[in-house]
Amino acid sequence: MLKSYFIKVLIILICFSSCKSQPEVVPKETWMEKSVIEWPELVMTNKVEFSDTTYTNFGNAFLIEASSDTFAVTCKHIFMLFRDETNNSIYLDNNFKQWQIYPKGKPQKAIRLGELLNGNKNEVTGEFNTLKSRDWIIFKTKNESNFTPLKIRTRPVSNGEIVYAPGWAFKQTSENPSLIKMQVFKNLGPYFYTTTLTENVDPAGRSGSPVVDKNGYLVGIVSGAEGKLGVMCGIPYLTDQLNKYKKNETVKTSNK
């Protein structure tokens, strides 16, 4: 009887251990199984209009899904291009008119962006190396679109992991963005380094491209390069800003 009892306990423990060791099954986005030319429209380019000048077709942008909201994001260091219009700060002042994003070559599909959530007139634009750990700007969206938002992966990337960056280079005129395959070289938390596995890549102008994992989930944004290594800003700053926004929205709602 006692022997039978211990056998049952042993079987239960073995089953429990086996269940715990099962890897987490993450549903893959269906488009990840297709050629990049068959992907939905994920990536856009930027058009920023000020009262005295307009900047067009620079950098990449995309939509993200967070809770029940959809936001537009791109890299913060593009503010370096128009620091004269923003008083050298991460802020859109009175001379700012509008910000639009659209698939490259398709301005008729543009969507207009709303409030810049993490704008800060006291945050100096600085240089690339000062921004790589927080290289996100986050907008509300003003109108609906047929663009596909990306889901955010909360688990950090691992050294050696394969990731992908769809986007346009500055001189690239093809209808579809190109897909760059990379390998994580070293994850430093706020940002991570990658080596490029795709050959003959033109890196100029790819900033702001989303970095996705093998399942199509967002793990970073293309920020720049240091030597032969790519620099990708990670998710921590993005999720921190989204959490602050959500908290502020909750406070506003409760005060109504």
Side-chain angles (χ1 to χ4, degrees), residues 84-199:
D84 290 340
E85 283 75 31
T86 60
N87 294 316
N88 196 30
S89 65
I90 309 298
Y91 189 74
L92 297 171
D93 217 330
N94 296 332
N95 65 333
F96 168 73
K97 296 185 70 174
Q98 67 174 348
W99 194 308
Q100 294 179 316
I101 59 174
Y102 51 84
K104 200 165 188 178
K106 301 177 182 178
Q108 72 278 8
K109 301 185 76 171
I111 61 173
R112 188 174 178 181
L113 305 188
E115 177 190 357
L116 173 58
L117 298 187
N118 59 329
N120 183 354
K121 63 175 61 178
N122 296 317
E123 182 180 356
V124 178
T125 304
E127 302 298 332
F128 160 69
N129 279 338
T130 68
L131 292 171
K132 61 187 179 184
S133 63
R134 49 190 172 87
D135 204 5
W136 299 88
I137 48 174
I138 311 160
F139 291 90
K140 288 183 178 180
T141 53
K142 279 196 168 183
N143 52 304
E144 296 292 328
S145 76
N146 293 320
F147 304 136
T148 299
L150 292 169
K151 299 183 178 77
I152 301 171
R153 189 180 98 175
T154 55
R155 178 171 54 86
V157 294
S158 304
N159 295 340
E161 182 176 350
I162 301 297
V163 293
Y164 305 87
W168 285 279
F170 181 71
K171 294 182 180 180
Q172 185 179 339
T173 57
S174 61
E175 180 179 353
N176 298 299
S178 55
L179 182 65
I180 310 303
K181 183 178 181 180
M182 304 177 293
Q183 186 170 32
V184 177
F185 178 75
K186 189 173 185 180
N187 184 6
L188 296 176
Y191 59 94
F192 56 95
Y193 291 109
T194 60
T195 55
T196 302
L197 303 180
T198 302
E199 296 181 352

Side-chain angles (χ1 to χ4, degrees), residues 27-33 148-151 214-217:
K28 180 177 287 191
E29 297 286 42
T30 56
W31 43 265
M32 277 299 293
E33 301 286 358
T148 299
L150 292 169
K151 299 183 178 77
K214 64 180 181 180
N215 294 314
Y217 289 83

